[in-house]
Amino acid sequence: MTAEFDFDLESTAPASKEELLGRVARGDETAFGDLYDQMAPRVLGLVKRLLVDHAQSEEVTQEIFLEIWQSASRYEAQRGGASTWILTMAHRRAVDRIRSSQAGRDRDTKIGIRDLAVEYDNVSETVETRIEHERVEKAMSRLTELQRQAISLAYYGGLSHSEVAERLHIPLGTVKTRLRDGMIRLRDELGVAS
């Protein structure tokens, strides 16, 4: 027993992606399902090559197909094939996700660095400060009394050269000379290279 079947070759031939996009633009859900079945593996593959993370790739692929559903009417066949349009959209969306992720990581890093409390040895710092203070005191004791007065008022007292001259009742030029000579002597005593 044989049965003869009449096939209408035109009705069984799969629709092209361009045709499917046209139908999707008119709200055809079946066409969207067919387009999804044809393109989803390629879109996911492209996105996954860029993003590497599978879960994120699936999320971006879903966003791409949502965008296809919403913007199918903007597809222009004369500008290129439907596959190219969809894969270009996928590539752009994946690159946007990469940039967004990188910007988020950069922002988190900056915040982390800003909020990072740097530990330091408080005892060691105190000892170093005390030793340095003792070295300066010893070097200051080797200055003349006039140089020591001028330096103490200017650097420890925060007075300007004019205020030091006024306080010591001496000319401004003399203050500058005492400061210069005293600083040279301090530099030599502390072993600081000029």
Side-chain angles (χ1 to χ4, degrees):
M1 202 159 125
T2 59
E4 289 187 31
F5 295 97
D6 272 345
F7 285 107
D8 182 3
L9 292 178
E10 288 183 21
S11 66
T12 60
S16 71
K17 292 171 189 72
E18 290 75 14
E19 291 172 42
L20 290 173
L21 263 177
R23 289 175 32 205
V24 169
R26 293 187 297 275
D28 185 336
E29 293 177 13
T30 304
F32 181 74
D34 293 342
L35 183 65
Y36 180 87
D37 291 341
Q38 288 183 29
M39 290 299 300
R42 287 183 66 191
V43 170
L44 180 61
L46 171 66
V47 172
K48 191 170 181 184
R49 264 193 313 249
L50 294 169
L51 297 180
V52 179
D53 180 76
H54 187 75
Q56 219 179 53
S57 299
E58 287 178 338
E59 184 179 318
V60 170
T61 299
Q62 183 178 3
E63 291 171 5
I64 292 162
F65 278 97
L66 177 61
E67 186 176 350
I68 291 169
W69 175 255
Q70 294 171 340
S71 64
S73 61
R74 289 187 290 192
Y75 168 69
E76 298 173 15
Q78 66 275 15
R79 296 188 72 196
S83 295
T84 303
W85 184 74
I86 292 169
L87 292 174
T88 300
M89 186 184 304
H91 184 269
R92 287 181 182 152
R93 181 64 69 119
V95 169
D96 287 347
R97 178 62 66 97
I98 291 169
R99 288 180 180 149
S100 174
S101 295
Q102 184 62 46
R105 282 192 299 275
D106 290 348
R107 184 177 53 254
D108 291 346
T109 300
K110 286 178 185 176
I111 290 170
I113 289 170
R114 182 194 70 204
D115 295 344
L116 177 66
V118 179
E119 293 183 25
Y120 63 94
D121 185 356
N122 197 18
V123 173
S124 174
E125 187 174 319
T126 303
V127 169
E128 285 180 30
T129 302
R130 187 175 301 136
I131 290 171
E132 202 57 38
H133 181 71
E134 289 170 1
R135 285 186 65 217
V136 171
E137 277 186 357
K138 186 176 178 183
M140 288 283 288
S141 71
R142 293 193 176 122
L143 299 178
T144 67
E145 180 59 32
L146 299 173
Q147 290 170 339
R148 190 171 30 258
Q149 276 182 329
I151 288 175
S152 293
L153 290 171
Y155 293 98
Y156 293 116
L159 300 180
S160 69
H161 293 176
S162 301
E163 292 170 328
V164 172
E166 196 174 300
R167 177 83 55 94
L168 296 177
H169 306 290
I170 57 175
L172 179 61
T174 305
V175 169
K176 289 182 180 183
T177 301
R178 288 180 187 174
L179 287 171
R180 185 193 72 230
D181 292 346
M183 293 304 287
I184 290 170
R185 195 152 178 203
L186 273 178
R187 184 186 68 210
D188 293 342
E189 291 290 334
L190 293 171
V192 177
S194 54

